[in-house]
Amino acid sequence: MRSIILISFIGLSTISFSQKRIIKQAAAFEASDLHEQAAEKYMEALHQNATRPESINGLKRTSQKVVDQKLSEYFVSRNSSNPELAITQFEAVISYRDRLSYFGMTPDIPNYYFEDYESDRQLFSSNLKNQIKDAIEAGSDSKVNELIKKLQQYDPNYNIEELSMIESRTKAESLYAAAVSDFESRNWLSAWKGFTEVEKLEGSYKETLRYKKEIRAKGTTLSIVLPKRNRFSNAELFKSNIIAEVSQLGNPLIQIIDRENLDQVIEEQKLGISGLIDERSAAALGKILGVKAMMLIKVLNYNQIEGSLSKVEKTAYAKSSHTYQGEFRSVPYTEYSQTNKVLVSIQYQLISTETAEVLSADILQKEYADELIYAETATDYNTLYPGVNGYIYKSGSEREKFLHFFTTKRTSKSIDELDFEIQGLLAKQVATSLNSYFSK
């Protein structure tokens, strides 16, 4: 028991001696006006004994002087027009104050310092925003990103929507610069797409509208001429399909102008004989209509093949209840088939109205068919199995395909329906071919 008491007494003596040594060092720093070092030592002593009066009073004296010194530095920075340094220095004062609160101390900081600090922060944030706008105008993405990060650091409550607006403006400026470069390099389509993206972000940004107007002026306005003898069930529909497909391309260099009185003009000007138009008459017609080019479409071949409904008697298999287990009996069924088909080949020529030169030409072919196959039986088709050369398909894709014939449609598409659909497919091919030409 005596040995335990002795060890405890020695431990307390050691702690007391250590505190005295630290307090002595603190006092020496304080005497040399090294208040920040002295305060650190007093804090160290208080960590060992939070109730020792010398440490408490020493920290109160020195910490206040440290705070006063930091506030003085803050004041100098404010008046030397260095708001960023001033803000950093005052935030260091706040951080130091928070450390002292651990020891139950609150240094004296006049309220006007906090007011000045808030004013400094707002002014600095405003300056940063102006710098960001300048960097955006200069097209310096890296500088913009650097300034935005700094702004968020000094203004944590910065409006996210405003940040999004700045980022949008940054992206728009980058796209705008690239689009202008494409325009100057005569890459009209790429420039148009770039300006369109800018509009999506910022509306009528800078001279976007003017550039797009100039690009549109460099494009080609054209009308479409189909011969009267084209055999399409609805030639006007074909023209409408082409116009719709071209519009969906979003290519500013192609603008189709559909003239309602086209046939009347052709007749009045005697430009065609029996509805036939050649390159020169198409160019002349284009001048009358006020377009830069004419698209002359000729139907080279048009075949309609309407198949007749044929039927074939076939044999399927069903499990028999009158024979040994696993054996099958034959069951008759009827398979019906019909194929309707339309084959079309057309030639289109894009003809300059100024020179009658063929700017672009292509021959497009399309075959569109509808094959009808279905089956009927007097029995329940779900009990049937297909078979070939004595082999019966009891499961798998062959049986699924076989059963499908009993539930599929019973009528095929008419020639008129196929004509309607093949016009849409040909119109898409014409638009694609035109887009390829103008994209070059």
Side-chain angles (χ1 to χ4, degrees), residues 226-439:
L226 279 96
K228 290 183 178 179
R229 298 176 182 176
N230 57 71
R231 297 190 64 188
F232 281 128
S233 60
N234 188 342
E236 287 303 315
L237 174 64
F238 186 45
K239 287 174 61 176
S240 298
N241 284 335
I242 294 175
I243 294 170
E245 292 294 339
V246 170
S247 297
Q248 290 181 20
L249 294 173
N251 191 327
L253 303 178
I254 313 172
Q255 185 178 3
I256 296 181
I257 298 176
D258 190 24
R259 300 298 191 189
E260 294 181 1
N261 60 341
L262 185 57
D263 289 339
Q264 182 182 346
V265 174
I266 292 174
E267 185 67 28
E268 289 177 355
Q269 300 297 322
K270 307 299 182 183
L271 293 172
I273 301 173
S274 301
L276 300 177
I277 304 290
D278 60 17
E279 288 82 355
R280 289 192 175 278
S281 57
L285 177 61
K287 288 181 179 179
I288 294 170
L289 297 175
V291 294
K292 293 182 179 180
M294 292 297 297
M295 179 189 289
L296 179 58
I297 297 179
K298 300 176 181 178
V299 179
L300 303 179
N301 183 41
Y302 186 99
N303 286 325
Q304 298 176 348
I305 303 173
E306 187 170 7
S308 59
L309 185 66
S310 63
K311 63 178 183 177
V312 179
E313 300 297 330
K314 293 190 174 183
T315 301
Y317 300 90
K319 290 183 179 180
S320 176
S321 58
H322 303 291
T323 58
Y324 293 108
Q325 187 176 5
E327 291 188 358
F328 288 81
R329 61 183 174 86
S330 299
V331 177
Y333 73 94
T334 305
E335 183 180 274
Y336 298 86
S337 62
Q338 181 182 6
T339 300
N340 291 339
K341 186 182 298 184
V342 174
L343 302 91
V344 183
S345 62
I346 65 170
Q347 179 191 53
Y348 87 78
Q349 294 175 300
L350 188 66
I351 302 164
S352 168
T353 59
E354 295 179 355
T355 63
E357 175 190 1
V358 177
L359 303 174
S360 176
D362 203 354
I363 294 177
L364 307 174
Q365 300 181 28
K366 201 69 185 175
E367 175 182 317
Y368 199 65
D370 183 48
E371 184 179 21
L372 173 70
I373 303 177
Y374 68 93
E376 292 182 348
T377 182
T379 188
D380 181 3
Y381 69 87
N382 287 302
T383 65
L384 301 182
Y385 298 84
V388 178
N389 297 327
Y391 181 82
I392 299 173
Y393 294 94
K394 301 175 185 178
S395 62
S397 61
E398 287 294 331
R399 184 164 189 261
E400 289 179 6
K401 182 180 178 181
F402 168 76
L403 294 177
H404 174 70
F405 290 144
F406 292 92
T407 60
T408 191
K409 65 177 184 175
R410 296 293 194 267
T411 57
S412 61
K413 292 180 180 178
S414 68
I415 292 297
D416 285 344
E417 288 176 310
L418 294 177
D419 178 271
F420 177 85
E421 294 185 17
I422 204 169
Q423 286 189 46
L425 296 172
L426 280 169
K428 188 181 290 290
Q429 283 187 294
V430 171
T432 301
S433 184
L434 271 178
N435 192 49
S436 176
Y437 169 73
F438 282 102
S439 295

Side-chain angles (χ1 to χ4, degrees), residues 32-181:
S32 301
D33 290 332
L34 299 174
H35 304 298
E36 191 163 1
Q37 293 90 329
E40 292 296 327
K41 285 297 179 180
Y42 284 129
M43 281 189 264
E44 185 180 346
L46 286 171
H47 276 298
Q48 294 188 9
N49 185 347
T51 61
R52 191 151 187 149
E54 301 101 303
S55 303
I56 295 172
N57 294 330
L59 182 58
K60 283 182 180 180
R61 290 191 307 272
T62 55
S63 63
Q64 184 61 55
K65 291 180 179 180
V66 170
V67 168
D68 291 342
Q69 178 61 34
K70 290 182 181 294
L71 289 175
S72 177
E73 293 170 357
Y74 165 66
F75 179 79
V76 170
S77 296
R78 281 197 83 227
N79 289 292
S80 60
S81 301
N82 194 342
E84 184 173 5
L85 178 59
I87 291 169
T88 301
Q89 289 173 332
F90 190 76
E91 286 176 348
V93 173
I94 296 173
S95 177
Y96 194 72
R97 178 202 62 184
D98 294 341
R99 281 188 66 197
L100 293 173
S101 67
Y102 176 82
F103 302 100
M105 297 182 188
T106 305
D108 180 30
I109 305 175
N111 286 333
Y112 63 82
Y113 278 106
F114 290 95
E115 294 171 0
D116 289 344
Y117 164 70
E118 189 59 36
S119 175
D120 290 341
R121 272 207 325 148
Q122 291 179 8
L123 179 61
F124 187 58
S125 295
S126 178
N127 289 338
L128 280 175
K129 291 173 186 176
N130 290 330
Q131 291 178 47
I132 290 171
K133 291 178 182 177
D134 292 340
I136 289 172
E137 293 293 328
S140 177
D141 292 353
S142 58
K143 186 66 175 178
V144 170
N145 293 329
E146 175 189 335
L147 291 170
I148 286 176
K149 288 180 181 178
K150 183 177 288 188
L151 179 58
Q152 289 177 307
Q153 177 184 350
Y154 288 102
D155 191 358
N157 298 321
Y158 180 58
N159 189 301
I160 298 300
E161 291 182 2
E162 190 173 348
L163 175 61
S164 177
M165 182 185 70
I166 290 177
E167 290 175 338
S168 173
R169 181 65 59 85
T170 304
K171 185 177 180 181
E173 178 57 35
S174 178
L175 288 169
Y176 181 82
V180 171
S181 177

Side-chain angles (χ1 to χ4, degrees), residues 2-37:
R2 290 178 180 177
S3 61
I4 294 173
I5 293 172
L6 180 61
I7 291 171
S8 299
F9 176 76
I10 292 172
L12 290 171
S13 298
T14 303
I15 293 172
S16 177
F17 176 76
S18 175
Q19 287 176 345
K20 288 180 180 178
R21 178 175 57 80
I22 295 170
I23 292 171
K24 187 176 181 180
Q25 291 173 341
F29 281 129
E30 188 176 1
S32 301
D33 290 332
L34 299 174
H35 304 298
E36 191 163 1
Q37 293 90 329

